Amino acid sequence: MRIKKFRCIQCGGPKVNPYHSPYIMCDFCGSFTDIDFAVGMDTWNASALHTDGYQLRKMQIMNAAQAALARGDRSTYFSRQWEFWNDYYQTFPAYLPPTIDDDVKYRLYLELCSQSSTESAFDPKWQQYSARQQELQAAVQYRLNGFERRAESSSFFALAEFFTQIMKEGMRSFYDNPRYDIMHDLLPESVHLKMKMSMFVQAWLPYLTDQDAERLLKMFGFSTEYVEMSQPPGKTVECASCRRSLFAPEGSYRVYCESCRRTTPVKKTFYCMSCGAPNHIHDNPAKPIPCANCGIANRLINPLLG
């Protein structure tokens, strides 16, 4: 079969199962590992009426947020940010990270997104960054390409490079903040950064030439190569939540079900490589698990690395 080439950021395992979600879940350790921008764009473009309605609501919410920012009203700004994120995921549920799989996590996730957005908006340094980004955006020049308007390369990529720089800086600061420790489990930093980048790309692709669009996709890591892959050895298991049949490749410890957005353990115990004692397999089998008997760290999916 022909499939896009993805490797898990946790265990190094290749993606082998077909998928329909924009998000890539590892077929060996069950980790949230990447995003497929093309699938995300298909979701975005599925209904122009649906997307246009969202864009209109977003503009109204953001105008209200900017008015609150101008007044120095943090509380209202936070509320508008929560409204924005909630509307975004209610409009495009396929964009909700697969690790956000219950109402408690959903409310916590929106709370953290709204809180970090509010802190950035009222931070003088990030206000300067925002002003500079607006300057660069206003400086983008356009040329007619037939009957369509396209952004001129040098002015656009000056904006794109600045956006990349501040997104990477902001993401590092965010994940270094102990207040957001839970995000390491809900949304890996590298995937979160790609999500932020994808929103920028979605907004600008319609205004780029084919050549510049390809350059931008490569710049942000969205040009994924395809590989021919035969289905590896494995077995069929039943989803623990919805009972659908899932393929678990040989060596798999957890496999993800796209139907119900839950992971199913394929193996529940392992035997310590040092003392042979049985141990329970944790939710993240990609991480070393210390033996409950002798304390030796066991790396279960080590053969997939490299």
Side-chain angles (χ1 to χ4, degrees):
M1 61 181 175
R2 187 169 170 79
I3 191 169
K4 287 187 178 179
K5 184 179 180 180
F6 290 103
R7 281 201 173 271
C8 178
I9 58 176
Q10 297 285 350
C11 74
K15 183 65 181 171
V16 297
N17 280 330
Y19 58 91
H20 307 289
S21 163
Y23 298 117
I24 306 301
M25 300 291 285
C26 179
D27 298 316
F28 290 85
C29 69
S31 296
F32 182 13
T33 190
D34 213 326
I35 67 173
D36 188 325
F37 179 75
V39 176
M41 284 300 295
D42 288 343
T43 300
W44 181 262
N45 295 324
S47 168
L49 184 63
H50 195 63
T51 301
D52 288 347
Y54 160 75
Q55 295 278 48
L56 177 60
R57 293 191 303 276
K58 175 184 174 181
M59 182 176 66
Q60 294 169 340
I61 293 170
M62 288 307 175
N63 285 341
Q66 286 303 115
L69 179 62
R71 297 193 305 270
D73 185 349
R74 281 179 174 263
S75 177
T76 300
Y77 188 91
F78 174 90
S79 297
R80 297 290 79 79
Q81 288 296 313
W82 199 98
E83 182 182 0
F84 160 68
W85 286 112
N86 185 54
D87 185 63
Y88 178 67
Y89 289 120
Q90 294 298 318
T91 306
F92 302 106
Y95 289 166
L96 185 66
T99 43
I100 316 299
D101 54 12
D102 61 42
D103 289 341
V104 173
K105 289 180 182 178
Y106 181 74
R107 290 193 296 271
L108 174 61
Y109 179 62
L110 261 59
E111 181 87 8
L112 295 176
C113 289
S114 305
Q115 183 176 320
S116 63
S117 297
T118 301
E119 289 179 352
S120 295
F122 284 84
D123 185 314
K125 182 181 79 170
W126 286 95
Q127 288 176 346
Q128 292 179 3
Y129 282 171
S130 178
R132 177 56 180 159
Q133 182 176 336
Q134 291 175 21
E135 287 176 5
L136 290 170
Q137 186 164 321
V140 174
Q141 300 175 13
Y142 295 88
R143 296 175 179 172
L144 282 178
N145 185 7
F147 294 100
E148 297 177 327
R149 197 172 67 144
R150 293 289 182 264
E152 185 271 328
S153 292
S154 60
S155 57
F156 168 73
F157 280 103
L159 167 65
E161 288 168 4
F162 180 76
F163 178 81
T164 303
Q165 171 194 328
I166 63 174
M167 280 299 102
K168 288 181 177 179
E169 179 181 337
M171 202 62 62
R172 187 84 295 276
S173 176
F174 178 81
Y175 279 88
D176 281 343
N177 189 333
R179 295 172 63 187
Y180 303 122
D181 274 350
I182 187 63
M183 289 296 288
H184 290 280
D185 296 323
L186 296 179
L187 190 56
E189 181 179 349
S190 61
V191 181
H192 195 176
L193 178 61
K194 272 195 168 184
M195 287 170 61
K196 293 287 188 182
M197 298 296 197
S198 72
M199 297 175 81
F200 179 89
V201 174
Q202 280 178 337
W204 280 99
L205 275 185
Y207 303 101
L208 302 181
T209 64
D210 291 344
Q211 183 177 1
D212 283 346
E214 183 178 352
R215 176 182 169 186
L216 181 66
L217 291 172
K218 287 182 178 179
M219 176 180 173
F220 283 0
F222 292 129
S223 292
T224 308
E225 63 180 297
Y226 284 83
V227 292
E228 291 292 340
M229 179 182 292
S230 299
Q231 188 176 63
K235 62 182 179 180
T236 299
V237 299
E238 187 179 73
C239 174
S241 297
C242 72
R243 306 303 176 190
R244 287 181 178 266
S245 294
L246 307 173
F247 177 73
E250 190 175 285
S252 173
Y253 286 84
R254 296 180 72 86
V255 64
Y256 178 73
C257 176
E258 290 214 345
S259 297
C260 67
R261 295 167 59 93
R262 298 288 194 276
T263 54
T264 292
V266 178
K267 302 174 184 177
K268 296 183 179 180
T269 60
F270 74 94
Y271 294 92
C272 177
M273 63 180 183
S274 178
C275 70
N279 284 264
H280 173 69
I281 297 175
H282 300 170
D283 287 344
N284 188 349
K287 294 182 178 179
I289 302 176
C291 174
N293 182 57
C294 70
I296 292 293
N298 289 257
R299 183 176 288 279
L300 305 183
I301 317 184
N302 190 58
L304 296 176
L305 298 172

